[in-house]
Amino acid sequence: MISKTFNIKGMHCASCSSLIEMTLKKIEGVVLVEANYATETANISFDESKVTPEELSKKIEPLGYSIMMPMDHEMGMLAEHMGMPADEHMAHTGMGQSKKEKLKEIAEQKNLVISAIPLAAISIFIMGWDMLAQFKLIPTMNYTTSEFFHHLLPIMATYMLFVVGKPYLLGMYRFFRYGKANMDTLIGIGTSVAFLYSFIVMAFEEPLKQFINTSHTYYDVAIVVIAFITLGKYLESKSKLKTGDAIEKLLNLQAKNALVIRSGKEQEVPVSQVMHGDIIMVKPGTKIPVDGIITKGSSFIDEAMVTGEPMPVEKKMGDTVIAGTINTNSAFTFKATKVGSETLLAHIVKMVQEAQGSRAPIQGLADNISSVFVPIVLVISFVSLLAWLTVGAYYLGFSQALSFGLTSFVGVLVIACPCALGLATPTAIIVGVGKGAREGILIKDAATLEKLHKVTIVVMDKTGTITKGRPELASIKNFSKMDDKEVVSILGGLESKSEHPIARAIIEYARLKNIELKNSEDFEIIKGKGLKGTINNTEYFAGNAKLIADLKISFDAKSIEPETVQGKTPIILATKKEIIAVIMVTDIIKPESLEAVKNLHKLGIKTLMLTGDDKNTANAIAKEVGIDKLIAEVLPEDKLKKIKELQAGGVVVAMAGDGVNDAPALAQADVGIAMATGIDIAIETAGITLLHGDISKIVKAIKLSKITMRGIRQNLFWAFIYNLAGIPLAAGLLYPLFGWLLNPIFAGLAMAFSSVSVVANSLRIRNKRL
């Protein structure tokens, strides 16, 4: 059993999704089908031993759809560079087709619109003249002009129906041939009935005069409705193309070539040919082709487009670099560690694509309605026609009732729009997920994005989430005549031969302050107490209070108690005779932590720190940051129990952690948030991954969820209201009360722009500030 996402060609409306799902689900070997109109894709779980993708495609081809197998050369090359499956790249714009194919389709739609709009303008001109003449605002047309237009309209209507309206005729044909209806079916039946009625009236004008008003035809309806709907589809396609621009921008970050050093010579090769272990030269102003570790040199790297980090980040020997980021000022070489689909950029692209194609729970109602929408509308249209011909004829006479009946029949078919319902959720999800990626917020799926806006408490781990997760030098208490630089130089010289994390903190501090380390000899680790070494014929000791006690040097341990209570670790530097300095090392609180907690409180969200550290350390940090509640000295399994307890109390929990030690709690939380640093990101562990481990992005993620869900609700509200109000109005239910009957031309205009308005509202999410 495998699950694959296929690109579907021929999806024109929301009802297409349900039609494809219903057809494919009936095939033996198919377990699950999820079609997405906004991305024009279908996620299909099937048994390869029972059915192939080619066989699946053949089943839906008679209905006007096909599963796309090949892809264009340009996308093939990019897929090869990224080391990702071809079908993922074909959907890189959020569409089910490559951008090249989609642009070609939009160009064809544009040509049809260009030919249709002048004809629609002529029809509207004729209708407007007749309408104004009825109210005696202008004179009626003279006989010659009237006859000219009388014979011009059927010619224009024929072109509109059989050339511009060809997709709608095919939709009607498939309905009568296979019994499957979609949005095209409704338009096809509506405009064909208007055309056919008008043709019969013109062809048999004399015999029919005594029964009906033969001067009134519906050619103009067919012309204008098809023109408006074609225009709407064109605008919708252009708008949908914009919703997928986040992935396209990410893909464009990928470098095409790499400057690899082989056999001592620099040679430019396609990025697809870069292998693990290759040494790559990166010059200023160029993109980094793959992920790796700097082996020589240093520079500032602009990571804004990949991780959302606003300022260039300093990178030195031993630091990791990320594919797609830009080297700003100095040349350096690095060793390739992750290539192709292993790179962070490839992971981000894949994750965003999967999230954009996933379904949010809120979409369920719209999907259920869309699946039965078209058959119900067909029934309503025929019932309204029958009601006019029976009840209407009794009060208005057959001729008037037939005219109103046809108006209602066509109006109901044309105004009904499952497309607005179908686009309401996925377009907002696509834009929201894309915006998150640009901000360094990777969202795993639509359900996570939906749940996030309901969160009432954020549970945080301490180490790596609120704090930096690595020890740093916090303070120096100098008791000697040396200056602080000299103290650090001596201590760093001793610690340079140690692999302890605290040693790395001292050495890193010295590097940042440009302090040269003293050269030490006779280095020795004193187990459980510290270390010693000789510098310039003087023996130095560095360690804890036990080491100082062994040296029999007088030291008041209570003097450093206020800091040790806060979780700081003292390193006492001494000779055999005296204490030189006390250096405090601690896991520093991230600068953004205080602001993040404050902003969470502004959103009405409580905060809880859940940590395995001792109470004193955790309490000091919790107080400084402003955490509402603290639970310290807990094991990973205890964290899991606490999350369950909170959920049992009706609280919606988001858990932020490092994605490794906190894996059980992250998985249990309603929303798991992995604080990723460097390129080791816990994509699979959590629903949301925050690049650079920036806790302030939790607030941005929640705001993004709220903005996206607000957009979805607005879309669904207007889509429901539009259909609930439009269909009864078109059917003539309000005619007995107010004399209101909707002209099919206005129905076509409303239907065409309903989808466009939904997509446009979703696009507004891109411009919202987080």
Side-chain angles (χ1 to χ4, degrees), residues 351 440-445 448-453 654-657 666 671-676 682-683 685-691 697-698 701-702 704-705:
M351 189 173 183
I441 302 164
L442 302 185
I443 299 160
K444 193 172 185 180
D445 52 40
T448 298
L449 187 60
E450 180 177 336
K451 280 188 284 188
L452 190 57
H453 86 287
M655 168 73 188
L666 285 172
V671 179
I673 303 172
M675 309 298 293
I683 282 179
T685 308
I688 289 176
T689 302
L690 304 182
L691 300 181
K697 288 177 182 175
I698 294 177
I702 293 170
L704 177 63
S705 174

PDB file of all heavy atoms in Angstrom, residues 351 440-445 448-453 654-657 666 671-676 682-683 685-691 697-698 701-702 704-705:
ATOM      1  N   MET A 351       7.705  20.128   2.925  1.00  0.00           N
ATOM      2  CA  MET A 351       6.769  20.311   4.034  1.00  0.00           C
ATOM      3  C   MET A 351       5.686  21.321   3.675  1.00  0.00           C
ATOM      4  O   MET A 351       4.502  21.107   3.967  1.00  0.00           O
ATOM      5  CB  MET A 351       7.536  20.778   5.269  1.00  0.00           C
ATOM      6  CG  MET A 351       6.708  20.782   6.537  1.00  0.00           C
ATOM      7  SD  MET A 351       7.755  21.157   7.961  1.00  0.00           S
ATOM      8  CE  MET A 351       6.561  21.001   9.280  1.00  0.00           C
ATOM      9  N   GLY A 440       9.898  31.786   8.538  1.00  0.00           N
ATOM     10  CA  GLY A 440      10.643  30.776   9.279  1.00  0.00           C
ATOM     11  C   GLY A 440       9.764  29.921  10.165  1.00  0.00           C
ATOM     12  O   GLY A 440      10.226  29.315  11.127  1.00  0.00           O
ATOM     13  N   ILE A 441       8.451  29.865   9.817  1.00  0.00           N
ATOM     14  CA  ILE A 441       7.492  29.038  10.562  1.00  0.00           C
ATOM     15  C   ILE A 441       7.012  27.931   9.623  1.00  0.00           C
ATOM     16  O   ILE A 441       6.277  28.189   8.672  1.00  0.00           O
ATOM     17  CB  ILE A 441       6.280  29.876  11.034  1.00  0.00           C
ATOM     18  CG1 ILE A 441       6.744  31.042  11.917  1.00  0.00           C
ATOM     19  CG2 ILE A 441       5.266  29.007  11.768  1.00  0.00           C
ATOM     20  CD1 ILE A 441       5.691  32.126  12.101  1.00  0.00           C
ATOM     21  N   LEU A 442       7.471  26.694   9.871  1.00  0.00           N
ATOM     22  CA  LEU A 442       7.099  25.572   9.006  1.00  0.00           C
ATOM     23  C   LEU A 442       5.909  24.832   9.605  1.00  0.00           C
ATOM     24  O   LEU A 442       5.977  24.334  10.721  1.00  0.00           O
ATOM     25  CB  LEU A 442       8.274  24.613   8.839  1.00  0.00           C
ATOM     26  CG  LEU A 442       9.564  25.218   8.265  1.00  0.00           C
ATOM     27  CD1 LEU A 442      10.596  24.131   8.049  1.00  0.00           C
ATOM     28  CD2 LEU A 442       9.291  25.975   6.977  1.00  0.00           C
ATOM     29  N   ILE A 443       4.816  24.793   8.846  1.00  0.00           N
ATOM     30  CA  ILE A 443       3.564  24.198   9.328  1.00  0.00           C
ATOM     31  C   ILE A 443       3.366  22.859   8.639  1.00  0.00           C
ATOM     32  O   ILE A 443       3.418  22.773   7.406  1.00  0.00           O
ATOM     33  CB  ILE A 443       2.379  25.145   9.046  1.00  0.00           C
ATOM     34  CG1 ILE A 443       2.602  26.470   9.787  1.00  0.00           C
ATOM     35  CG2 ILE A 443       1.066  24.509   9.465  1.00  0.00           C
ATOM     36  CD1 ILE A 443       1.815  27.628   9.246  1.00  0.00           C
ATOM     37  N   LYS A 444       3.163  21.811   9.433  1.00  0.00           N
ATOM     38  CA  LYS A 444       3.118  20.454   8.884  1.00  0.00           C
ATOM     39  C   LYS A 444       1.861  20.184   8.079  1.00  0.00           C
ATOM     40  O   LYS A 444       1.911  19.550   7.034  1.00  0.00           O
ATOM     41  CB  LYS A 444       3.246  19.430  10.016  1.00  0.00           C
ATOM     42  CG  LYS A 444       3.517  18.018   9.542  1.00  0.00           C
ATOM     43  CD  LYS A 444       3.830  17.116  10.712  1.00  0.00           C
ATOM     44  CE  LYS A 444       4.225  15.728  10.250  1.00  0.00           C
ATOM     45  NZ  LYS A 444       4.536  14.838  11.373  1.00  0.00           N
ATOM     46  N   ASP A 445       0.712  20.645   8.566  1.00  0.00           N
ATOM     47  CA  ASP A 445      -0.530  20.406   7.836  1.00  0.00           C
ATOM     48  C   ASP A 445      -1.585  21.442   8.210  1.00  0.00           C
ATOM     49  O   ASP A 445      -1.422  22.221   9.148  1.00  0.00           O
ATOM     50  CB  ASP A 445      -1.068  18.980   8.100  1.00  0.00           C
ATOM     51  CG  ASP A 445      -1.188  18.657   9.575  1.00  0.00           C
ATOM     52  OD1 ASP A 445      -1.608  19.545  10.340  1.00  0.00           O
ATOM     53  OD2 ASP A 445      -0.861  17.534   9.978  1.00  0.00           O
ATOM     54  N   THR A 448      -3.126  21.405  11.808  1.00  0.00           N
ATOM     55  CA  THR A 448      -2.299  22.060  12.831  1.00  0.00           C
ATOM     56  C   THR A 448      -2.531  23.565  12.818  1.00  0.00           C
ATOM     57  O   THR A 448      -2.682  24.195  13.865  1.00  0.00           O
ATOM     58  CB  THR A 448      -0.808  21.766  12.582  1.00  0.00           C
ATOM     59  OG1 THR A 448      -0.601  20.359  12.678  1.00  0.00           O
ATOM     60  CG2 THR A 448       0.067  22.479  13.602  1.00  0.00           C
ATOM     61  N   LEU A 449      -2.554  24.138  11.615  1.00  0.00           N
ATOM     62  CA  LEU A 449      -2.779  25.582  11.488  1.00  0.00           C
ATOM     63  C   LEU A 449      -4.138  25.966  12.064  1.00  0.00           C
ATOM     64  O   LEU A 449      -4.281  27.019  12.696  1.00  0.00           O
ATOM     65  CB  LEU A 449      -2.691  25.991  10.018  1.00  0.00           C
ATOM     66  CG  LEU A 449      -2.745  27.494   9.717  1.00  0.00           C
ATOM     67  CD1 LEU A 449      -1.595  28.225  10.388  1.00  0.00           C
ATOM     68  CD2 LEU A 449      -2.727  27.745   8.224  1.00  0.00           C
ATOM     69  N   GLU A 450      -5.131  25.105  11.868  1.00  0.00           N
ATOM     70  CA  GLU A 450      -6.474  25.390  12.392  1.00  0.00           C
ATOM     71  C   GLU A 450      -6.511  25.293  13.916  1.00  0.00           C
ATOM     72  O   GLU A 450      -7.084  26.137  14.597  1.00  0.00           O
ATOM     73  CB  GLU A 450      -7.496  24.422  11.791  1.00  0.00           C
ATOM     74  CG  GLU A 450      -8.901  24.680  12.296  1.00  0.00           C
ATOM     75  CD  GLU A 450      -9.949  23.764  11.663  1.00  0.00           C
ATOM     76  OE1 GLU A 450      -9.714  23.258  10.553  1.00  0.00           O
ATOM     77  OE2 GLU A 450     -11.002  23.555  12.293  1.00  0.00           O
ATOM     78  N   LYS A 451      -5.858  24.249  14.469  1.00  0.00           N
ATOM     79  CA  LYS A 451      -5.884  24.047  15.927  1.00  0.00           C
ATOM     80  C   LYS A 451      -5.149  25.147  16.686  1.00  0.00           C
ATOM     81  O   LYS A 451      -5.510  25.485  17.806  1.00  0.00           O
ATOM     82  CB  LYS A 451      -5.262  22.677  16.275  1.00  0.00           C
ATOM     83  CG  LYS A 451      -6.201  21.501  16.087  1.00  0.00           C
ATOM     84  CD  LYS A 451      -5.588  20.220  16.625  1.00  0.00           C
ATOM     85  CE  LYS A 451      -4.541  19.670  15.705  1.00  0.00           C
ATOM     86  NZ  LYS A 451      -4.062  18.326  16.091  1.00  0.00           N
ATOM     87  N   LEU A 452      -4.116  25.685  16.057  1.00  0.00           N
ATOM     88  CA  LEU A 452      -3.251  26.643  16.742  1.00  0.00           C
ATOM     89  C   LEU A 452      -4.003  27.876  17.237  1.00  0.00           C
ATOM     90  O   LEU A 452      -3.675  28.419  18.299  1.00  0.00           O
ATOM     91  CB  LEU A 452      -2.104  27.051  15.820  1.00  0.00           C
ATOM     92  CG  LEU A 452      -0.966  27.865  16.444  1.00  0.00           C
ATOM     93  CD1 LEU A 452      -0.334  27.124  17.612  1.00  0.00           C
ATOM     94  CD2 LEU A 452       0.091  28.199  15.401  1.00  0.00           C
ATOM     95  N   HIS A 453      -5.015  28.316  16.508  1.00  0.00           N
ATOM     96  CA  HIS A 453      -5.710  29.545  16.917  1.00  0.00           C
ATOM     97  C   HIS A 453      -6.582  29.334  18.147  1.00  0.00           C
ATOM     98  O   HIS A 453      -7.050  30.280  18.767  1.00  0.00           O
ATOM     99  CB  HIS A 453      -6.545  30.102  15.750  1.00  0.00           C
ATOM    100  CG  HIS A 453      -7.919  29.521  15.631  1.00  0.00           C
ATOM    101  ND1 HIS A 453      -8.160  28.230  15.178  1.00  0.00           N
ATOM    102  CD2 HIS A 453      -9.138  30.040  15.919  1.00  0.00           C
ATOM    103  CE1 HIS A 453      -9.455  28.002  15.192  1.00  0.00           C
ATOM    104  NE2 HIS A 453     -10.075  29.069  15.646  1.00  0.00           N
ATOM    105  N   ALA A 654      -0.423  23.920  23.473  1.00  0.00           N
ATOM    106  CA  ALA A 654       0.700  23.927  22.532  1.00  0.00           C
ATOM    107  C   ALA A 654       1.959  23.667  23.343  1.00  0.00           C
ATOM    108  O   ALA A 654       2.152  24.265  24.395  1.00  0.00           O
ATOM    109  CB  ALA A 654       0.806  25.264  21.808  1.00  0.00           C
ATOM    110  N   MET A 655       2.777  22.732  22.875  1.00  0.00           N
ATOM    111  CA  MET A 655       4.008  22.393  23.593  1.00  0.00           C
ATOM    112  C   MET A 655       5.203  22.787  22.733  1.00  0.00           C
ATOM    113  O   MET A 655       5.300  22.386  21.575  1.00  0.00           O
ATOM    114  CB  MET A 655       4.046  20.885  23.876  1.00  0.00           C
ATOM    115  CG  MET A 655       5.382  20.364  24.362  1.00  0.00           C
ATOM    116  SD  MET A 655       5.751  20.824  26.068  1.00  0.00           S
ATOM    117  CE  MET A 655       7.444  20.276  26.242  1.00  0.00           C
ATOM    118  N   ALA A 656       6.095  23.606  23.279  1.00  0.00           N
ATOM    119  CA  ALA A 656       7.298  24.022  22.557  1.00  0.00           C
ATOM    120  C   ALA A 656       8.511  23.380  23.205  1.00  0.00           C
ATOM    121  O   ALA A 656       8.731  23.527  24.403  1.00  0.00           O
ATOM    122  CB  ALA A 656       7.434  25.539  22.572  1.00  0.00           C
ATOM    123  N   GLY A 657       9.276  22.636  22.419  1.00  0.00           N
ATOM    124  CA  GLY A 657      10.465  21.974  22.947  1.00  0.00           C
ATOM    125  C   GLY A 657      11.489  21.749  21.867  1.00  0.00           C
ATOM    126  O   GLY A 657      11.342  22.220  20.747  1.00  0.00           O
ATOM    127  N   LEU A 666       5.571  16.519  22.839  1.00  0.00           N
ATOM    128  CA  LEU A 666       5.249  17.220  21.593  1.00  0.00           C
ATOM    129  C   LEU A 666       4.174  16.473  20.811  1.00  0.00           C
ATOM    130  O   LEU A 666       3.283  17.072  20.231  1.00  0.00           O
ATOM    131  CB  LEU A 666       6.506  17.362  20.723  1.00  0.00           C
ATOM    132  CG  LEU A 666       7.531  18.411  21.145  1.00  0.00           C
ATOM    133  CD1 LEU A 666       8.786  18.288  20.299  1.00  0.00           C
ATOM    134  CD2 LEU A 666       6.970  19.811  21.024  1.00  0.00           C
ATOM    135  N   VAL A 671      -0.940  20.957  19.731  1.00  0.00           N
ATOM    136  CA  VAL A 671      -0.008  21.474  18.723  1.00  0.00           C
ATOM    137  C   VAL A 671       1.401  21.343  19.272  1.00  0.00           C
ATOM    138  O   VAL A 671       1.720  21.920  20.309  1.00  0.00           O
ATOM    139  CB  VAL A 671      -0.297  22.957  18.379  1.00  0.00           C
ATOM    140  CG1 VAL A 671       0.716  23.450  17.344  1.00  0.00           C
ATOM    141  CG2 VAL A 671      -1.708  23.135  17.854  1.00  0.00           C
ATOM    142  N   GLY A 672       2.247  20.556  18.587  1.00  0.00           N
ATOM    143  CA  GLY A 672       3.646  20.418  18.987  1.00  0.00           C
ATOM    144  C   GLY A 672       4.488  21.411  18.202  1.00  0.00           C
ATOM    145  O   GLY A 672       4.366  21.501  16.984  1.00  0.00           O
ATOM    146  N   ILE A 673       5.329  22.169  18.915  1.00  0.00           N
ATOM    147  CA  ILE A 673       6.169  23.181  18.273  1.00  0.00           C
ATOM    148  C   ILE A 673       7.637  22.849  18.541  1.00  0.00           C
ATOM    149  O   ILE A 673       8.087  22.903  19.678  1.00  0.00           O
ATOM    150  CB  ILE A 673       5.851  24.602  18.802  1.00  0.00           C
ATOM    151  CG1 ILE A 673       4.359  24.924  18.578  1.00  0.00           C
ATOM    152  CG2 ILE A 673       6.725  25.638  18.129  1.00  0.00           C
ATOM    153  CD1 ILE A 673       3.907  26.211  19.245  1.00  0.00           C
ATOM    154  N   ALA A 674       8.372  22.495  17.488  1.00  0.00           N
ATOM    155  CA  ALA A 674       9.789  22.154  17.631  1.00  0.00           C
ATOM    156  C   ALA A 674      10.632  23.395  17.435  1.00  0.00           C
ATOM    157  O   ALA A 674      10.485  24.114  16.450  1.00  0.00           O
ATOM    158  CB  ALA A 674      10.181  21.089  16.612  1.00  0.00           C
ATOM    159  N   MET A 675      11.512  23.662  18.398  1.00  0.00           N
ATOM    160  CA  MET A 675      12.419  24.810  18.325  1.00  0.00           C
ATOM    161  C   MET A 675      13.679  24.352  17.613  1.00  0.00           C
ATOM    162  O   MET A 675      14.563  23.754  18.221  1.00  0.00           O
ATOM    163  CB  MET A 675      12.750  25.325  19.727  1.00  0.00           C
ATOM    164  CG  MET A 675      11.536  25.579  20.606  1.00  0.00           C
ATOM    165  SD  MET A 675      10.461  26.852  19.940  1.00  0.00           S
ATOM    166  CE  MET A 675      11.523  28.268  20.110  1.00  0.00           C
ATOM    167  N   ALA A 676      13.760  24.604  16.317  1.00  0.00           N
ATOM    168  CA  ALA A 676      14.877  24.091  15.521  1.00  0.00           C
ATOM    169  C   ALA A 676      16.027  25.077  15.499  1.00  0.00           C
ATOM    170  O   ALA A 676      15.825  26.283  15.418  1.00  0.00           O
ATOM    171  CB  ALA A 676      14.410  23.814  14.103  1.00  0.00           C
ATOM    172  N   ALA A 682      13.412  19.177  13.611  1.00  0.00           N
ATOM    173  CA  ALA A 682      12.541  18.047  13.957  1.00  0.00           C
ATOM    174  C   ALA A 682      11.243  18.143  13.183  1.00  0.00           C
ATOM    175  O   ALA A 682      10.176  18.337  13.756  1.00  0.00           O
ATOM    176  CB  ALA A 682      12.282  18.047  15.462  1.00  0.00           C
ATOM    177  N   ILE A 683      11.338  18.011  11.873  1.00  0.00           N
ATOM    178  CA  ILE A 683      10.146  18.185  11.029  1.00  0.00           C
ATOM    179  C   ILE A 683       9.082  17.136  11.330  1.00  0.00           C
ATOM    180  O   ILE A 683       7.887  17.418  11.321  1.00  0.00           O
ATOM    181  CB  ILE A 683      10.547  18.160   9.534  1.00  0.00           C
ATOM    182  CG1 ILE A 683      11.152  19.514   9.153  1.00  0.00           C
ATOM    183  CG2 ILE A 683       9.362  17.869   8.633  1.00  0.00           C
ATOM    184  CD1 ILE A 683      11.607  19.627   7.729  1.00  0.00           C
ATOM    185  N   THR A 685       8.616  15.387  14.119  1.00  0.00           N
ATOM    186  CA  THR A 685       8.157  15.309  15.508  1.00  0.00           C
ATOM    187  C   THR A 685       6.974  16.213  15.785  1.00  0.00           C
ATOM    188  O   THR A 685       6.039  15.816  16.472  1.00  0.00           O
ATOM    189  CB  THR A 685       9.314  15.693  16.460  1.00  0.00           C
ATOM    190  OG1 THR A 685      10.446  14.912  16.115  1.00  0.00           O
ATOM    191  CG2 THR A 685       8.940  15.455  17.901  1.00  0.00           C
ATOM    192  N   ALA A 686       7.020  17.430  15.269  1.00  0.00           N
ATOM    193  CA  ALA A 686       6.042  18.444  15.669  1.00  0.00           C
ATOM    194  C   ALA A 686       5.199  18.928  14.496  1.00  0.00           C
ATOM    195  O   ALA A 686       5.580  18.797  13.333  1.00  0.00           O
ATOM    196  CB  ALA A 686       6.779  19.620  16.301  1.00  0.00           C
ATOM    197  N   GLY A 687       4.050  19.493  14.851  1.00  0.00           N
ATOM    198  CA  GLY A 687       3.164  20.062  13.829  1.00  0.00           C
ATOM    199  C   GLY A 687       3.722  21.348  13.262  1.00  0.00           C
ATOM    200  O   GLY A 687       3.449  21.705  12.117  1.00  0.00           O
ATOM    201  N   ILE A 688       4.503  22.059  14.093  1.00  0.00           N
ATOM    202  CA  ILE A 688       5.104  23.322  13.652  1.00  0.00           C
ATOM    203  C   ILE A 688       6.583  23.314  14.033  1.00  0.00           C
ATOM    204  O   ILE A 688       6.946  22.894  15.137  1.00  0.00           O
ATOM    205  CB  ILE A 688       4.390  24.528  14.305  1.00  0.00           C
ATOM    206  CG1 ILE A 688       2.995  24.678  13.710  1.00  0.00           C
ATOM    207  CG2 ILE A 688       5.190  25.811  14.111  1.00  0.00           C
ATOM    208  CD1 ILE A 688       2.172  25.761  14.325  1.00  0.00           C
ATOM    209  N   THR A 689       7.435  23.735  13.107  1.00  0.00           N
ATOM    210  CA  THR A 689       8.866  23.860  13.376  1.00  0.00           C
ATOM    211  C   THR A 689       9.259  25.319  13.217  1.00  0.00           C
ATOM    212  O   THR A 689       8.965  25.929  12.184  1.00  0.00           O
ATOM    213  CB  THR A 689       9.692  22.987  12.401  1.00  0.00           C
ATOM    214  OG1 THR A 689       9.277  21.623  12.535  1.00  0.00           O
ATOM    215  CG2 THR A 689      11.170  23.091  12.711  1.00  0.00           C
ATOM    216  N   LEU A 690       9.887  25.883  14.243  1.00  0.00           N
ATOM    217  CA  LEU A 690      10.337  27.274  14.202  1.00  0.00           C
ATOM    218  C   LEU A 690      11.834  27.294  13.936  1.00  0.00           C
ATOM    219  O   LEU A 690      12.625  26.833  14.768  1.00  0.00           O
ATOM    220  CB  LEU A 690      10.026  27.979  15.537  1.00  0.00           C
ATOM    221  CG  LEU A 690       8.559  27.958  15.980  1.00  0.00           C
ATOM    222  CD1 LEU A 690       8.409  28.721  17.284  1.00  0.00           C
ATOM    223  CD2 LEU A 690       7.644  28.551  14.909  1.00  0.00           C
ATOM    224  N   LEU A 691      12.222  27.788  12.762  1.00  0.00           N
ATOM    225  CA  LEU A 691      13.632  27.824  12.398  1.00  0.00           C
ATOM    226  C   LEU A 691      14.386  28.809  13.288  1.00  0.00           C
ATOM    227  O   LEU A 691      13.840  29.813  13.714  1.00  0.00           O
ATOM    228  CB  LEU A 691      13.785  28.205  10.928  1.00  0.00           C
ATOM    229  CG  LEU A 691      13.117  27.240   9.930  1.00  0.00           C
ATOM    230  CD1 LEU A 691      13.359  27.707   8.505  1.00  0.00           C
ATOM    231  CD2 LEU A 691      13.624  25.819  10.112  1.00  0.00           C
ATOM    232  N   LYS A 697       8.668  33.512  17.456  1.00  0.00           N
ATOM    233  CA  LYS A 697       7.886  33.037  16.313  1.00  0.00           C
ATOM    234  C   LYS A 697       6.658  32.237  16.749  1.00  0.00           C
ATOM    235  O   LYS A 697       5.769  31.991  15.935  1.00  0.00           O
ATOM    236  CB  LYS A 697       8.770  32.207  15.375  1.00  0.00           C
ATOM    237  CG  LYS A 697       9.766  33.069  14.599  1.00  0.00           C
ATOM    238  CD  LYS A 697      10.682  32.242  13.717  1.00  0.00           C
ATOM    239  CE  LYS A 697      11.687  33.143  13.008  1.00  0.00           C
ATOM    240  NZ  LYS A 697      12.681  32.376  12.233  1.00  0.00           N
ATOM    241  N   ILE A 698       6.612  31.820  18.024  1.00  0.00           N
ATOM    242  CA  ILE A 698       5.395  31.166  18.536  1.00  0.00           C
ATOM    243  C   ILE A 698       4.233  32.148  18.448  1.00  0.00           C
ATOM    244  O   ILE A 698       3.131  31.802  18.018  1.00  0.00           O
ATOM    245  CB  ILE A 698       5.580  30.689  19.995  1.00  0.00           C
ATOM    246  CG1 ILE A 698       6.630  29.584  20.072  1.00  0.00           C
ATOM    247  CG2 ILE A 698       4.250  30.193  20.571  1.00  0.00           C
ATOM    248  CD1 ILE A 698       6.923  29.102  21.478  1.00  0.00           C
ATOM    249  N   ALA A 701       3.263  32.593  14.879  1.00  0.00           N
ATOM    250  CA  ALA A 701       2.535  31.414  14.388  1.00  0.00           C
ATOM    251  C   ALA A 701       1.075  31.446  14.827  1.00  0.00           C
ATOM    252  O   ALA A 701       0.171  31.145  14.040  1.00  0.00           O
ATOM    253  CB  ALA A 701       3.215  30.136  14.884  1.00  0.00           C
ATOM    254  N   ILE A 702       0.844  31.815  16.089  1.00  0.00           N
ATOM    255  CA  ILE A 702      -0.532  31.888  16.602  1.00  0.00           C
ATOM    256  C   ILE A 702      -1.303  32.994  15.888  1.00  0.00           C
ATOM    257  O   ILE A 702      -2.463  32.813  15.500  1.00  0.00           O
ATOM    258  CB  ILE A 702      -0.532  32.101  18.130  1.00  0.00           C
ATOM    259  CG1 ILE A 702       0.021  30.852  18.833  1.00  0.00           C
ATOM    260  CG2 ILE A 702      -1.949  32.413  18.644  1.00  0.00           C
ATOM    261  CD1 ILE A 702       0.293  31.019  20.308  1.00  0.00           C
ATOM    262  N   LEU A 704      -0.693  34.101  12.897  1.00  0.00           N
ATOM    263  CA  LEU A 704      -0.919  33.622  11.529  1.00  0.00           C
ATOM    264  C   LEU A 704      -2.118  32.685  11.483  1.00  0.00           C
ATOM    265  O   LEU A 704      -2.953  32.773  10.571  1.00  0.00           O
ATOM    266  CB  LEU A 704       0.333  32.896  11.021  1.00  0.00           C
ATOM    267  CG  LEU A 704       0.229  32.270   9.620  1.00  0.00           C
ATOM    268  CD1 LEU A 704       0.010  33.333   8.557  1.00  0.00           C
ATOM    269  CD2 LEU A 704       1.484  31.460   9.301  1.00  0.00           C
ATOM    270  N   SER A 705      -2.216  31.814  12.474  1.00  0.00           N
ATOM    271  CA  SER A 705      -3.360  30.889  12.549  1.00  0.00           C
ATOM    272  C   SER A 705      -4.667  31.657  12.694  1.00  0.00           C
ATOM    273  O   SER A 705      -5.663  31.352  12.020  1.00  0.00           O
ATOM    274  CB  SER A 705      -3.183  29.936  13.735  1.00  0.00           C
ATOM    275  OG  SER A 705      -4.326  29.134  13.899  1.00  0.00           O
TER     276      SER A 705
END
